[in-house]
Amino acid sequence: MAEVYAGPATTMTPAPRPRDLRLDFFRGVAMIVILVAHITDNPWALFMPGRFGFSDSAEIFVFCSGMASALAFGTLFARAGWLLGTARIAHRIWQVYWVHIGIFLLTLALMVAINATGLFPRDVVSGLNLKPFLNETGPNLLGLLTLTYVPNYFDILPMYIVLLAMLPLFLLLARVDRRLAMAVSVALWTLAQFGLLNLPAELWFERGSTRAWFFNPFAWQLVFMTGYALMAGWLPVPPVRRGLVVLALAIVLVTVPFAWHVTLGAFEGLRSLRGDWWFLFEKTTQGALRYVHFLALAYLAWVAVGPKGAWLTQGTRRVPVVQAVSLVGRQSLAVFAVSMVIARGLGALLDLFGRDFAATVAVNLLGLGLLYATAVVVTWFKSSPWKAPVRPAGVASVPRAGRAMPEGPVSAMPVSGPEVRG
């Protein structure tokens, strides 16, 4: 969460906001958890936050995406108007769409290649339920391109695309009243709880299928819009109070027995109770207790990092781990794409070498290293280093007044002073 102005809207164009370290950091945390959780039968996944509560990294990803959208698009809508703002969102949807298609095709190719080697014990293509695509490629290719064929492993970005597509509608409603926009968000979530809204996930299967998207975007938009509303100032910033901290902590702790596999396995009563009230924890429809659990976690995390993320920065000192995780969060789309492709390959390595302590550590660290390397490379490309001015060979700089030129070769680094062509 961020400290934002929550007062009445004005006609003035808001100034661009600087990056919020907390947003980048928690997005980076979500990317790390998503990778660990998607590596097949990864022992480390047993220690991820989602194993101890109703919500997991998916909520972090969607919530932070809503906050990031407020920073990326909110000012643009205020400055350039609704039509141009919608056009910018359409451009972003176009980018995310092709990332989704690329993730699917690259992952499919990797899974086919792993099976073709004959070295790995698991049929990784069937493990992702991709045989229907290979067996009925024609109709399912059409489904893939129209987002009507959405396998479970590849369902996060399609949901994100729909959330982005819905955002201009919410912003149009907010012109009338911000409360109206949030009321519509709650209404869509409510309809999704009763199974009245969703999208088909296997529309083109020859034998027929009624399976809907695993992540129902009409339900998950509530998490997205909550993040957007907090960052945009539509909702007030929650105060830091001991009573609220105790309440949030109690919510998190009380849910542990109903989510942790150890307690669920030990007590039949807990399993029975969870089974009776499954719709409150349902991931597809973002059940009410999932939403409440995530809000409690988000509040505790926001309080824990301190005002403006003071505990992350520790004053003006750079914390290497925080900086690395934040860099991963800043390049979340590229990092997410890479993580989805490599996760199953890393799982295949665990199948091959076993899941003892050394192999598990090595494979997970390899994956985390690849995520960080992706963030570094993407950051370098986005900096457009080829646009930096390059001084032709033989050009020397003029020494500043009162300073002698050093002996030895002239530096090849570009300088800001005048140049003399020799």
Side-chain angles (χ1 to χ4, degrees):
M1 298 183 190
E3 288 82 358
V4 293
Y5 175 66
T10 68
T11 57
M12 297 179 61
T13 301
R17 293 175 180 167
R19 296 197 71 93
D20 192 317
L21 177 63
R22 293 166 296 182
L23 178 58
D24 288 335
F25 176 77
F26 286 115
R27 283 205 295 182
V29 169
M31 294 301 102
I32 292 171
V33 175
I34 286 173
L35 172 67
V36 172
H38 281 100
I39 296 175
T40 312
D41 296 337
N42 186 5
W44 281 20
L46 296 175
F47 303 98
M48 294 298 101
R51 294 286 185 169
F52 302 93
F54 300 140
S55 64
D56 55 29
S57 56
E59 277 85 359
I60 304 175
F61 176 82
V62 174
F63 182 79
C64 289
S65 296
M67 299 185 81
S69 294
L71 293 175
F73 306 124
T75 300
L76 176 61
F77 271 79
R79 174 177 55 83
W82 188 84
L83 286 177
L84 286 180
T86 301
R88 177 64 184 90
I89 289 180
H91 179 257
R92 183 59 172 171
I93 290 173
W94 180 251
Q95 293 174 320
V96 176
Y97 171 81
W98 286 111
V99 171
H100 165 66
I101 299 300
I103 288 174
F104 178 86
L105 294 177
L106 286 174
T107 305
L108 175 62
L110 178 61
M111 298 301 96
V112 171
I114 288 175
N115 275 3
T117 64
L119 299 175
F120 299 88
R122 189 192 303 258
D123 181 355
V124 291
V125 174
S126 296
L128 281 180
N129 194 29
L130 296 177
K131 285 292 179 67
F133 183 85
L134 296 177
N135 294 336
E136 305 170 15
T137 303
N140 285 313
L141 178 61
L142 181 60
L144 175 69
L145 296 176
T146 58
L147 301 183
T148 52
Y149 170 62
V150 183
N152 282 351
Y153 185 73
F154 306 94
D155 44 16
I156 294 183
L157 287 188
M159 172 187 63
Y160 182 43
I161 287 172
V162 176
L163 299 183
L164 286 176
M166 295 171 69
L167 184 56
L169 171 62
F170 286 117
L171 295 179
L172 195 61
L173 293 172
R175 287 187 169 189
V176 179
D177 194 309
R178 295 170 179 177
R179 292 170 297 184
L180 175 62
M182 295 309 298
V184 170
S185 177
V186 173
L188 290 174
W189 174 83
T190 303
L191 291 173
Q193 301 309 299
F194 293 96
L196 300 177
L197 289 175
N198 205 340
L199 297 171
E202 297 171 345
L203 183 64
W204 301 90
F205 278 24
E206 290 183 357
R207 296 185 179 181
S209 172
T210 59
R211 189 177 74 82
W213 285 19
F214 179 76
F215 287 101
N216 186 333
F218 301 103
W220 279 76
Q221 54 76 30
L222 181 63
V223 179
F224 180 86
M225 287 307 301
T226 302
Y228 187 99
L230 283 168
M231 183 61 80
W234 295 8
L235 295 175
V237 177
V240 180
R241 293 177 182 168
R242 179 175 298 179
L244 287 177
V245 171
V246 171
L247 176 61
L249 188 59
I251 291 172
V252 171
L253 293 178
V254 168
T255 60
V256 171
F258 298 94
W260 192 26
H261 70 282
V262 173
T263 51
L264 286 174
F267 300 100
E268 173 64 29
L270 290 178
R271 294 197 301 273
S272 177
L273 190 61
R274 182 181 172 96
D276 292 339
W277 296 93
W278 62 271
F279 57 92
L280 295 177
F281 327 120
E282 179 69 11
K283 190 169 186 176
T284 293
T285 56
Q286 184 55 216
L289 289 185
R290 285 188 69 95
Y291 182 66
V292 171
H293 179 262
F294 172 73
L295 291 182
L297 273 179
Y299 179 74
L300 291 174
W302 177 64
V303 172
V305 298
K308 298 183 179 180
W311 286 101
L312 293 176
T313 59
Q314 295 185 8
T316 57
R317 189 168 69 88
R318 297 171 64 90
V319 183
V321 172
V322 172
Q323 295 297 323
V325 174
S326 299
L327 181 62
V328 169
R330 281 197 295 274
Q331 309 300 343
S332 58
L333 181 59
V335 168
F336 176 81
V338 169
S339 73
M340 296 298 287
V341 174
I342 68 173
R344 291 291 164 157
L346 294 172
L349 290 179
L350 288 178
D351 289 339
L352 185 62
F353 295 108
R355 286 173 170 78
D356 58 21
F357 178 81
T360 299
V361 170
V363 167
N364 279 277
L365 291 182
L366 173 61
L368 296 179
L370 290 173
L371 294 193
Y372 181 72
T374 299
V376 171
V377 171
V378 172
T379 299
W380 182 81
F381 273 104
K382 286 186 175 181
S383 71
S384 301
W386 46 83
K387 293 183 180 179
V390 178
R391 182 154 21 92
V395 176
S397 61
V398 175
R400 295 182 180 178
R403 296 180 63 183
M405 283 289 291
E407 296 182 357
V410 177
S411 171
M413 297 295 291
V415 295
S416 58
E419 296 179 345
V420 177
R421 301 185 181 276

PDB file of all heavy atoms in Angstrom, residues 125-154:
ATOM      1  N   VAL A 125       4.436 -33.310 -20.931  1.00  0.00           N
ATOM      2  CA  VAL A 125       3.359 -32.779 -21.771  1.00  0.00           C
ATOM      3  C   VAL A 125       2.003 -33.104 -21.161  1.00  0.00           C
ATOM      4  O   VAL A 125       1.132 -32.243 -21.030  1.00  0.00           O
ATOM      5  CB  VAL A 125       3.464 -33.321 -23.206  1.00  0.00           C
ATOM      6  CG1 VAL A 125       2.255 -32.887 -24.038  1.00  0.00           C
ATOM      7  CG2 VAL A 125       4.748 -32.835 -23.867  1.00  0.00           C
ATOM      8  N   SER A 126       1.829 -34.351 -20.757  1.00  0.00           N
ATOM      9  CA  SER A 126       0.572 -34.728 -20.103  1.00  0.00           C
ATOM     10  C   SER A 126       0.434 -34.057 -18.745  1.00  0.00           C
ATOM     11  O   SER A 126      -0.679 -33.751 -18.302  1.00  0.00           O
ATOM     12  CB  SER A 126       0.508 -36.253 -19.931  1.00  0.00           C
ATOM     13  OG  SER A 126       0.485 -36.896 -21.189  1.00  0.00           O
ATOM     14  N   GLY A 127       1.571 -33.810 -18.074  1.00  0.00           N
ATOM     15  CA  GLY A 127       1.525 -33.167 -16.773  1.00  0.00           C
ATOM     16  C   GLY A 127       0.914 -31.786 -16.824  1.00  0.00           C
ATOM     17  O   GLY A 127       0.316 -31.325 -15.844  1.00  0.00           O
ATOM     18  N   LEU A 128       1.045 -31.114 -17.944  1.00  0.00           N
ATOM     19  CA  LEU A 128       0.425 -29.797 -18.124  1.00  0.00           C
ATOM     20  C   LEU A 128      -0.888 -29.889 -18.893  1.00  0.00           C
ATOM     21  O   LEU A 128      -1.448 -28.859 -19.273  1.00  0.00           O
ATOM     22  CB  LEU A 128       1.386 -28.853 -18.862  1.00  0.00           C
ATOM     23  CG  LEU A 128       2.500 -28.240 -18.021  1.00  0.00           C
ATOM     24  CD1 LEU A 128       3.374 -27.326 -18.874  1.00  0.00           C
ATOM     25  CD2 LEU A 128       1.934 -27.457 -16.849  1.00  0.00           C
ATOM     26  N   ASN A 129      -1.348 -31.108 -19.159  1.00  0.00           N
ATOM     27  CA  ASN A 129      -2.603 -31.322 -19.888  1.00  0.00           C
ATOM     28  C   ASN A 129      -2.569 -30.645 -21.260  1.00  0.00           C
ATOM     29  O   ASN A 129      -3.536 -29.997 -21.687  1.00  0.00           O
ATOM     30  CB  ASN A 129      -3.800 -30.811 -19.075  1.00  0.00           C
ATOM     31  CG  ASN A 129      -5.125 -31.313 -19.637  1.00  0.00           C
ATOM     32  OD1 ASN A 129      -5.197 -32.381 -20.239  1.00  0.00           O
ATOM     33  ND2 ASN A 129      -6.183 -30.526 -19.454  1.00  0.00           N
ATOM     34  N   LEU A 130      -1.446 -30.826 -21.953  1.00  0.00           N
ATOM     35  CA  LEU A 130      -1.291 -30.215 -23.272  1.00  0.00           C
ATOM     36  C   LEU A 130      -1.563 -31.190 -24.410  1.00  0.00           C
ATOM     37  O   LEU A 130      -1.509 -30.792 -25.581  1.00  0.00           O
ATOM     38  CB  LEU A 130       0.130 -29.640 -23.418  1.00  0.00           C
ATOM     39  CG  LEU A 130       0.474 -28.500 -22.452  1.00  0.00           C
ATOM     40  CD1 LEU A 130       1.914 -28.064 -22.649  1.00  0.00           C
ATOM     41  CD2 LEU A 130      -0.476 -27.320 -22.655  1.00  0.00           C
ATOM     42  N   LYS A 131      -1.852 -32.440 -24.081  1.00  0.00           N
ATOM     43  CA  LYS A 131      -2.148 -33.406 -25.140  1.00  0.00           C
ATOM     44  C   LYS A 131      -3.371 -32.991 -25.976  1.00  0.00           C
ATOM     45  O   LYS A 131      -3.378 -33.185 -27.198  1.00  0.00           O
ATOM     46  CB  LYS A 131      -2.369 -34.799 -24.535  1.00  0.00           C
ATOM     47  CG  LYS A 131      -1.076 -35.473 -24.085  1.00  0.00           C
ATOM     48  CD  LYS A 131      -0.208 -35.822 -25.277  1.00  0.00           C
ATOM     49  CE  LYS A 131       1.108 -36.489 -24.853  1.00  0.00           C
ATOM     50  NZ  LYS A 131       0.911 -37.814 -24.269  1.00  0.00           N
ATOM     51  N   PRO A 132      -4.433 -32.442 -25.363  1.00  0.00           N
ATOM     52  CA  PRO A 132      -5.570 -32.003 -26.197  1.00  0.00           C
ATOM     53  C   PRO A 132      -5.161 -30.998 -27.273  1.00  0.00           C
ATOM     54  O   PRO A 132      -5.690 -31.028 -28.386  1.00  0.00           O
ATOM     55  CB  PRO A 132      -6.523 -31.372 -25.182  1.00  0.00           C
ATOM     56  CG  PRO A 132      -6.232 -32.081 -23.905  1.00  0.00           C
ATOM     57  CD  PRO A 132      -4.746 -32.296 -23.924  1.00  0.00           C
ATOM     58  N   PHE A 133      -4.201 -30.134 -26.958  1.00  0.00           N
ATOM     59  CA  PHE A 133      -3.758 -29.161 -27.965  1.00  0.00           C
ATOM     60  C   PHE A 133      -3.017 -29.860 -29.091  1.00  0.00           C
ATOM     61  O   PHE A 133      -3.222 -29.548 -30.272  1.00  0.00           O
ATOM     62  CB  PHE A 133      -2.853 -28.111 -27.317  1.00  0.00           C
ATOM     63  CG  PHE A 133      -2.406 -27.043 -28.273  1.00  0.00           C
ATOM     64  CD1 PHE A 133      -3.204 -25.934 -28.522  1.00  0.00           C
ATOM     65  CD2 PHE A 133      -1.194 -27.150 -28.943  1.00  0.00           C
ATOM     66  CE1 PHE A 133      -2.791 -24.953 -29.422  1.00  0.00           C
ATOM     67  CE2 PHE A 133      -0.773 -26.176 -29.833  1.00  0.00           C
ATOM     68  CZ  PHE A 133      -1.581 -25.069 -30.073  1.00  0.00           C
ATOM     69  N   LEU A 134      -2.165 -30.823 -28.751  1.00  0.00           N
ATOM     70  CA  LEU A 134      -1.416 -31.530 -29.786  1.00  0.00           C
ATOM     71  C   LEU A 134      -2.308 -32.454 -30.596  1.00  0.00           C
ATOM     72  O   LEU A 134      -2.092 -32.638 -31.801  1.00  0.00           O
ATOM     73  CB  LEU A 134      -0.282 -32.330 -29.139  1.00  0.00           C
ATOM     74  CG  LEU A 134       0.803 -31.497 -28.439  1.00  0.00           C
ATOM     75  CD1 LEU A 134       1.821 -32.411 -27.772  1.00  0.00           C
ATOM     76  CD2 LEU A 134       1.487 -30.561 -29.417  1.00  0.00           C
ATOM     77  N   ASN A 135      -3.327 -33.025 -29.966  1.00  0.00           N
ATOM     78  CA  ASN A 135      -4.218 -33.949 -30.662  1.00  0.00           C
ATOM     79  C   ASN A 135      -5.249 -33.229 -31.520  1.00  0.00           C
ATOM     80  O   ASN A 135      -5.716 -33.773 -32.522  1.00  0.00           O
ATOM     81  CB  ASN A 135      -4.941 -34.841 -29.652  1.00  0.00           C
ATOM     82  CG  ASN A 135      -3.987 -35.778 -28.923  1.00  0.00           C
ATOM     83  OD1 ASN A 135      -2.909 -36.103 -29.432  1.00  0.00           O
ATOM     84  ND2 ASN A 135      -4.364 -36.201 -27.727  1.00  0.00           N
ATOM     85  N   GLU A 136      -5.634 -32.034 -31.110  1.00  0.00           N
ATOM     86  CA  GLU A 136      -6.640 -31.247 -31.841  1.00  0.00           C
ATOM     87  C   GLU A 136      -6.087 -29.847 -32.061  1.00  0.00           C
ATOM     88  O   GLU A 136      -6.662 -28.846 -31.646  1.00  0.00           O
ATOM     89  CB  GLU A 136      -7.953 -31.192 -31.053  1.00  0.00           C
ATOM     90  CG  GLU A 136      -8.516 -32.563 -30.696  1.00  0.00           C
ATOM     91  CD  GLU A 136      -9.669 -32.473 -29.706  1.00  0.00           C
ATOM     92  OE1 GLU A 136     -10.212 -31.379 -29.505  1.00  0.00           O
ATOM     93  OE2 GLU A 136     -10.014 -33.517 -29.120  1.00  0.00           O
ATOM     94  N   THR A 137      -4.967 -29.775 -32.764  1.00  0.00           N
ATOM     95  CA  THR A 137      -4.222 -28.516 -32.867  1.00  0.00           C
ATOM     96  C   THR A 137      -5.023 -27.437 -33.575  1.00  0.00           C
ATOM     97  O   THR A 137      -5.026 -26.271 -33.139  1.00  0.00           O
ATOM     98  CB  THR A 137      -2.897 -28.747 -33.607  1.00  0.00           C
ATOM     99  OG1 THR A 137      -2.144 -29.750 -32.914  1.00  0.00           O
ATOM    100  CG2 THR A 137      -2.095 -27.459 -33.672  1.00  0.00           C
ATOM    101  N   GLY A 138      -5.696 -27.791 -34.654  1.00  0.00           N
ATOM    102  CA  GLY A 138      -6.412 -26.778 -35.437  1.00  0.00           C
ATOM    103  C   GLY A 138      -7.404 -25.972 -34.619  1.00  0.00           C
ATOM    104  O   GLY A 138      -7.260 -24.746 -34.473  1.00  0.00           O
ATOM    105  N   PRO A 139      -8.445 -26.599 -34.068  1.00  0.00           N
ATOM    106  CA  PRO A 139      -9.432 -25.832 -33.314  1.00  0.00           C
ATOM    107  C   PRO A 139      -8.859 -25.198 -32.052  1.00  0.00           C
ATOM    108  O   PRO A 139      -9.236 -24.075 -31.688  1.00  0.00           O
ATOM    109  CB  PRO A 139     -10.510 -26.871 -32.968  1.00  0.00           C
ATOM    110  CG  PRO A 139      -9.843 -28.198 -33.109  1.00  0.00           C
ATOM    111  CD  PRO A 139      -8.830 -28.020 -34.179  1.00  0.00           C
ATOM    112  N   ASN A 140      -7.930 -25.879 -31.396  1.00  0.00           N
ATOM    113  CA  ASN A 140      -7.386 -25.312 -30.165  1.00  0.00           C
ATOM    114  C   ASN A 140      -6.386 -24.198 -30.424  1.00  0.00           C
ATOM    115  O   ASN A 140      -6.165 -23.341 -29.557  1.00  0.00           O
ATOM    116  CB  ASN A 140      -6.752 -26.403 -29.306  1.00  0.00           C
ATOM    117  CG  ASN A 140      -7.806 -27.249 -28.614  1.00  0.00           C
ATOM    118  OD1 ASN A 140      -8.752 -26.719 -28.040  1.00  0.00           O
ATOM    119  ND2 ASN A 140      -7.665 -28.558 -28.691  1.00  0.00           N
ATOM    120  N   LEU A 141      -5.769 -24.179 -31.593  1.00  0.00           N
ATOM    121  CA  LEU A 141      -4.951 -23.024 -31.965  1.00  0.00           C
ATOM    122  C   LEU A 141      -5.834 -21.787 -32.100  1.00  0.00           C
ATOM    123  O   LEU A 141      -5.474 -20.691 -31.646  1.00  0.00           O
ATOM    124  CB  LEU A 141      -4.209 -23.296 -33.276  1.00  0.00           C
ATOM    125  CG  LEU A 141      -3.352 -22.138 -33.805  1.00  0.00           C
ATOM    126  CD1 LEU A 141      -2.260 -21.778 -32.808  1.00  0.00           C
ATOM    127  CD2 LEU A 141      -2.737 -22.506 -35.156  1.00  0.00           C
ATOM    128  N   LEU A 142      -7.010 -21.979 -32.715  1.00  0.00           N
ATOM    129  CA  LEU A 142      -7.962 -20.874 -32.782  1.00  0.00           C
ATOM    130  C   LEU A 142      -8.392 -20.464 -31.377  1.00  0.00           C
ATOM    131  O   LEU A 142      -8.506 -19.268 -31.070  1.00  0.00           O
ATOM    132  CB  LEU A 142      -9.183 -21.301 -33.609  1.00  0.00           C
ATOM    133  CG  LEU A 142     -10.279 -20.250 -33.805  1.00  0.00           C
ATOM    134  CD1 LEU A 142      -9.727 -19.016 -34.506  1.00  0.00           C
ATOM    135  CD2 LEU A 142     -11.435 -20.842 -34.603  1.00  0.00           C
ATOM    136  N   GLY A 143      -8.593 -21.454 -30.509  1.00  0.00           N
ATOM    137  CA  GLY A 143      -8.950 -21.147 -29.133  1.00  0.00           C
ATOM    138  C   GLY A 143      -7.844 -20.423 -28.402  1.00  0.00           C
ATOM    139  O   GLY A 143      -8.095 -19.495 -27.624  1.00  0.00           O
ATOM    140  N   LEU A 144      -6.600 -20.831 -28.648  1.00  0.00           N
ATOM    141  CA  LEU A 144      -5.467 -20.162 -28.013  1.00  0.00           C
ATOM    142  C   LEU A 144      -5.407 -18.696 -28.396  1.00  0.00           C
ATOM    143  O   LEU A 144      -5.230 -17.810 -27.545  1.00  0.00           O
ATOM    144  CB  LEU A 144      -4.161 -20.865 -28.417  1.00  0.00           C
ATOM    145  CG  LEU A 144      -2.863 -20.205 -27.939  1.00  0.00           C
ATOM    146  CD1 LEU A 144      -2.722 -20.335 -26.427  1.00  0.00           C
ATOM    147  CD2 LEU A 144      -1.663 -20.819 -28.657  1.00  0.00           C
ATOM    148  N   LEU A 145      -5.579 -18.408 -29.681  1.00  0.00           N
ATOM    149  CA  LEU A 145      -5.469 -17.033 -30.163  1.00  0.00           C
ATOM    150  C   LEU A 145      -6.655 -16.174 -29.740  1.00  0.00           C
ATOM    151  O   LEU A 145      -6.546 -14.945 -29.688  1.00  0.00           O
ATOM    152  CB  LEU A 145      -5.326 -17.023 -31.684  1.00  0.00           C
ATOM    153  CG  LEU A 145      -4.053 -17.680 -32.231  1.00  0.00           C
ATOM    154  CD1 LEU A 145      -4.067 -17.687 -33.753  1.00  0.00           C
ATOM    155  CD2 LEU A 145      -2.809 -16.965 -31.714  1.00  0.00           C
ATOM    156  N   THR A 146      -7.790 -16.788 -29.446  1.00  0.00           N
ATOM    157  CA  THR A 146      -8.974 -16.027 -29.023  1.00  0.00           C
ATOM    158  C   THR A 146      -9.198 -16.110 -27.512  1.00  0.00           C
ATOM    159  O   THR A 146     -10.230 -15.642 -27.015  1.00  0.00           O
ATOM    160  CB  THR A 146     -10.226 -16.546 -29.750  1.00  0.00           C
ATOM    161  OG1 THR A 146     -10.389 -17.945 -29.471  1.00  0.00           O
ATOM    162  CG2 THR A 146     -10.120 -16.326 -31.249  1.00  0.00           C
ATOM    163  N   LEU A 147      -8.247 -16.703 -26.799  1.00  0.00           N
ATOM    164  CA  LEU A 147      -8.329 -16.850 -25.341  1.00  0.00           C
ATOM    165  C   LEU A 147      -9.553 -17.653 -24.916  1.00  0.00           C
ATOM    166  O   LEU A 147     -10.106 -17.436 -23.840  1.00  0.00           O
ATOM    167  CB  LEU A 147      -8.334 -15.480 -24.643  1.00  0.00           C
ATOM    168  CG  LEU A 147      -7.116 -14.578 -24.897  1.00  0.00           C
ATOM    169  CD1 LEU A 147      -7.222 -13.294 -24.076  1.00  0.00           C
ATOM    170  CD2 LEU A 147      -5.811 -15.302 -24.602  1.00  0.00           C
ATOM    171  N   THR A 148      -9.968 -18.571 -25.764  1.00  0.00           N
ATOM    172  CA  THR A 148     -11.034 -19.505 -25.396  1.00  0.00           C
ATOM    173  C   THR A 148     -10.486 -20.911 -25.166  1.00  0.00           C
ATOM    174  O   THR A 148     -11.246 -21.831 -24.899  1.00  0.00           O
ATOM    175  CB  THR A 148     -12.129 -19.548 -26.483  1.00  0.00           C
ATOM    176  OG1 THR A 148     -11.529 -19.795 -27.761  1.00  0.00           O
ATOM    177  CG2 THR A 148     -12.887 -18.228 -26.516  1.00  0.00           C
ATOM    178  N   TYR A 149      -9.181 -21.067 -25.309  1.00  0.00           N
ATOM    179  CA  TYR A 149      -8.473 -22.256 -24.846  1.00  0.00           C
ATOM    180  C   TYR A 149      -7.410 -21.762 -23.871  1.00  0.00           C
ATOM    181  O   TYR A 149      -6.404 -21.159 -24.274  1.00  0.00           O
ATOM    182  CB  TYR A 149      -7.833 -23.018 -26.006  1.00  0.00           C
ATOM    183  CG  TYR A 149      -6.882 -24.113 -25.555  1.00  0.00           C
ATOM    184  CD1 TYR A 149      -7.335 -25.191 -24.800  1.00  0.00           C
ATOM    185  CD2 TYR A 149      -5.526 -24.054 -25.883  1.00  0.00           C
ATOM    186  CE1 TYR A 149      -6.470 -26.191 -24.375  1.00  0.00           C
ATOM    187  CE2 TYR A 149      -4.653 -25.055 -25.474  1.00  0.00           C
ATOM    188  CZ  TYR A 149      -5.129 -26.108 -24.718  1.00  0.00           C
ATOM    189  OH  TYR A 149      -4.272 -27.090 -24.292  1.00  0.00           O
ATOM    190  N   VAL A 150      -7.651 -21.959 -22.589  1.00  0.00           N
ATOM    191  CA  VAL A 150      -6.777 -21.418 -21.547  1.00  0.00           C
ATOM    192  C   VAL A 150      -6.450 -22.542 -20.561  1.00  0.00           C
ATOM    193  O   VAL A 150      -7.189 -22.753 -19.591  1.00  0.00           O
ATOM    194  CB  VAL A 150      -7.435 -20.226 -20.811  1.00  0.00           C
ATOM    195  CG1 VAL A 150      -6.480 -19.646 -19.783  1.00  0.00           C
ATOM    196  CG2 VAL A 150      -7.868 -19.154 -21.808  1.00  0.00           C
ATOM    197  N   PRO A 151      -5.367 -23.289 -20.795  1.00  0.00           N
ATOM    198  CA  PRO A 151      -4.969 -24.318 -19.829  1.00  0.00           C
ATOM    199  C   PRO A 151      -4.637 -23.690 -18.483  1.00  0.00           C
ATOM    200  O   PRO A 151      -4.205 -22.526 -18.407  1.00  0.00           O
ATOM    201  CB  PRO A 151      -3.723 -24.944 -20.475  1.00  0.00           C
ATOM    202  CG  PRO A 151      -3.803 -24.566 -21.923  1.00  0.00           C
ATOM    203  CD  PRO A 151      -4.489 -23.250 -21.970  1.00  0.00           C
ATOM    204  N   ASN A 152      -4.808 -24.459 -17.419  1.00  0.00           N
ATOM    205  CA  ASN A 152      -4.657 -23.917 -16.071  1.00  0.00           C
ATOM    206  C   ASN A 152      -3.305 -23.259 -15.823  1.00  0.00           C
ATOM    207  O   ASN A 152      -3.213 -22.229 -15.175  1.00  0.00           O
ATOM    208  CB  ASN A 152      -4.884 -25.015 -15.032  1.00  0.00           C
ATOM    209  CG  ASN A 152      -6.358 -25.314 -14.829  1.00  0.00           C
ATOM    210  OD1 ASN A 152      -7.211 -24.596 -15.344  1.00  0.00           O
ATOM    211  ND2 ASN A 152      -6.666 -26.369 -14.103  1.00  0.00           N
ATOM    212  N   TYR A 153      -2.236 -23.857 -16.312  1.00  0.00           N
ATOM    213  CA  TYR A 153      -0.899 -23.324 -16.054  1.00  0.00           C
ATOM    214  C   TYR A 153      -0.679 -21.968 -16.721  1.00  0.00           C
ATOM    215  O   TYR A 153       0.177 -21.188 -16.293  1.00  0.00           O
ATOM    216  CB  TYR A 153       0.137 -24.338 -16.548  1.00  0.00           C
ATOM    217  CG  TYR A 153       1.575 -23.989 -16.245  1.00  0.00           C
ATOM    218  CD1 TYR A 153       2.068 -24.095 -14.945  1.00  0.00           C
ATOM    219  CD2 TYR A 153       2.439 -23.578 -17.252  1.00  0.00           C
ATOM    220  CE1 TYR A 153       3.389 -23.797 -14.666  1.00  0.00           C
ATOM    221  CE2 TYR A 153       3.762 -23.284 -16.974  1.00  0.00           C
ATOM    222  CZ  TYR A 153       4.238 -23.389 -15.688  1.00  0.00           C
ATOM    223  OH  TYR A 153       5.541 -23.090 -15.404  1.00  0.00           O
ATOM    224  N   PHE A 154      -1.468 -21.690 -17.753  1.00  0.00           N
ATOM    225  CA  PHE A 154      -1.265 -20.480 -18.558  1.00  0.00           C
ATOM    226  C   PHE A 154      -2.407 -19.477 -18.388  1.00  0.00           C
ATOM    227  O   PHE A 154      -2.771 -18.766 -19.328  1.00  0.00           O
ATOM    228  CB  PHE A 154      -1.138 -20.859 -20.041  1.00  0.00           C
ATOM    229  CG  PHE A 154      -0.086 -21.890 -20.309  1.00  0.00           C
ATOM    230  CD1 PHE A 154      -0.403 -23.235 -20.358  1.00  0.00           C
ATOM    231  CD2 PHE A 154       1.236 -21.528 -20.486  1.00  0.00           C
ATOM    232  CE1 PHE A 154       0.571 -24.199 -20.599  1.00  0.00           C
ATOM    233  CE2 PHE A 154       2.221 -22.479 -20.733  1.00  0.00           C
ATOM    234  CZ  PHE A 154       1.879 -23.821 -20.780  1.00  0.00           C
TER     235      PHE A 154
END
